[in-house]
Amino acid sequence: MVSPGKPSPRSAVKPLSDEQVARLARKHKLVNPMHNHPTGPRRDNVDEINAQNPKATQRLLDACAWVVRSRCKPKAWGLENVPEEGVFITACTHVTLFDVFIPMAAMFYQGRRPRYMAKAEMASWPIIGKWFQLVGMQPVPRRKGEALAIENESIRILTSGRPLTIWPEGTLTRDPQKWPMSLKPGMAYIALEACRKLGREIPIFPAATWGAASINHWWPWPRKNVVMGYGSAIEYSDLLADMDSWGSAPPKEAVTELTRRVRVRLEEIEAEIRGEEPPAEGYWDYRTMKRVPRN
């Protein structure tokens, strides 16, 4: 089954201007995330690299970076937040398919090899589907009643020491103005339950990518600006204060609140990149296909 609603067309948004990128550059150190160690020298996680088809991964990574560079002018800030070792979660926006390739490649060029959740249909795509599986895709069957199995596998990945990248909206945003829409609660459940099993807080980093929504993929020239903001870790230690007494699952209230905090941070970063305020009426709710108040 297809997801309800359709992503809005390229005409719904303006390209990210050179003037706005210049304003961002005055506040942040913008780097090209499609090159090795974009933030400067750092230590690669060799164990992760060697455990994940290093030759195939490098070929796919270089091919992906070439395609991205040929179709847009990618920039990023905050990638120094990516830990050199240890488990963490990256929660990404999902405006276009670039929101998959840019954070994935950026993590790889920073010397990490996170597993990442992606819709199961991608695994059957010709050629590229096999590549995705080689480099750590965790297929997510949608509308198949397999949510618990997916969550358990994601928790296993985190508790085994591997980082995880998630697009918590679950599909391309249906917001007509392409702001982050309501998030699925699975990401927060996975994070909280993995924290309980590990006995500590797992860093969650928000990553918002903006600028690719106006790219014409048949004729992408002149290349447009695409910027990713990789934020600092979201604070949620207060939600873990009584995790030893949760029972069989994290409390629904904690899952809801962590989901809200992640959505708010993604919206804030995208607003900064765009240089715009998000709609005052609220955020787009995927279930009702309309805006709902932020409170």
Side-chain angles (χ1 to χ4, degrees):
M1 296 179 65
V2 297
S3 302
K6 293 183 178 180
S8 52
R10 294 190 304 273
S11 58
V13 294
K14 300 180 296 183
L16 185 61
S17 69
D18 291 338
E19 292 76 15
Q20 176 60 15
V21 174
R23 283 191 284 269
L24 292 169
R26 289 193 289 270
K27 184 176 180 181
H28 302 282
K29 181 182 178 181
L30 298 183
V31 299
N32 187 336
M34 297 294 114
H35 293 285
N36 196 42
H37 296 169
T39 59
R42 56 181 278 136
R43 182 168 54 85
D44 289 337
N45 192 308
V46 177
D47 290 340
E48 282 182 7
I49 292 172
N50 289 338
Q52 193 166 299
N53 305 288
K55 292 184 179 179
T57 298
Q58 191 63 48
R59 287 196 294 268
L60 176 59
L61 179 60
D62 292 340
C64 173
W66 180 86
V67 170
V68 170
R69 293 196 301 265
S70 70
R71 282 158 174 74
C72 68
K73 294 180 285 186
K75 300 291 182 184
W77 84 75
L79 288 174
E80 63 276 2
N81 291 325
V82 177
E84 291 185 349
E85 59 183 23
V87 64
F88 64 94
I89 297 171
T90 301
C92 307
T93 54
H94 205 359
V95 178
T96 74
L97 287 178
F98 272 72
D99 294 33
V100 175
F101 293 109
I102 289 184
M104 181 182 74
M107 296 297 100
F108 283 19
Y109 277 126
Q110 284 290 77
R112 298 305 304 268
R113 294 293 185 271
R115 298 288 303 278
Y116 55 98
M117 298 172 67
K119 60 184 181 181
E121 298 94 307
M122 294 175 68
S124 63
W125 289 359
I127 303 176
I128 198 170
K130 179 59 67 175
W131 286 352
F132 279 144
Q133 294 179 66
L134 285 172
V135 299
M137 183 184 84
Q138 179 188 340
V140 178
R142 298 186 294 181
R143 300 178 179 271
K144 294 285 184 67
E146 299 183 29
L148 182 59
I150 294 165
E151 290 167 351
N152 287 338
E153 174 62 13
S154 299
I155 293 166
R156 187 199 64 78
I157 289 169
L158 291 167
T159 54
S160 70
R162 290 291 294 273
L164 183 67
T165 299
I166 302 176
W167 289 265
E169 290 166 281
T171 188
L172 294 173
T173 182
R174 297 315 196 247
D175 187 314
Q177 299 177 47
K178 296 189 179 292
W179 291 93
M181 65 176 180
S182 57
L183 309 185
K184 306 289 187 183
M187 181 276 303
Y189 175 88
I190 290 166
L192 292 170
E193 183 63 17
C195 287
R196 174 165 65 166
K197 289 182 179 295
L198 289 174
R200 57 183 174 83
E201 183 177 353
I202 296 173
I204 301 176
F205 297 100
T209 303
W210 178 255
S214 56
I215 293 176
N216 182 334
H217 295 289
W218 294 107
W219 188 260
W221 300 281
R223 294 179 303 151
K224 294 181 172 63
N225 296 304
V226 175
V227 175
M228 181 180 71
Y230 196 89
S232 57
I234 294 169
E235 172 58 42
Y236 65 103
S237 59
D238 57 307
L239 304 180
L240 304 172
D242 58 348
M243 62 182 179
D244 292 336
S245 60
W246 280 352
S248 61
K252 182 179 179 180
E253 295 79 9
V255 172
T256 300
E257 174 58 17
L258 182 53
T259 301
R260 184 196 69 82
R261 293 183 191 182
V262 173
R263 189 198 60 76
V264 168
R265 287 291 289 121
L266 290 174
E267 188 177 69
E268 289 172 348
I269 297 172
E270 184 174 316
E272 183 175 4
I273 298 173
R274 294 172 67 159
E276 305 171 9
E277 290 297 321
E281 302 86 353
Y283 65 92
W284 193 260
D285 182 65
Y286 182 71
R287 293 170 299 176
T288 62
M289 287 294 157
K290 63 181 182 181
R291 296 201 182 280
V292 296
R294 289 182 178 79
N295 60 358

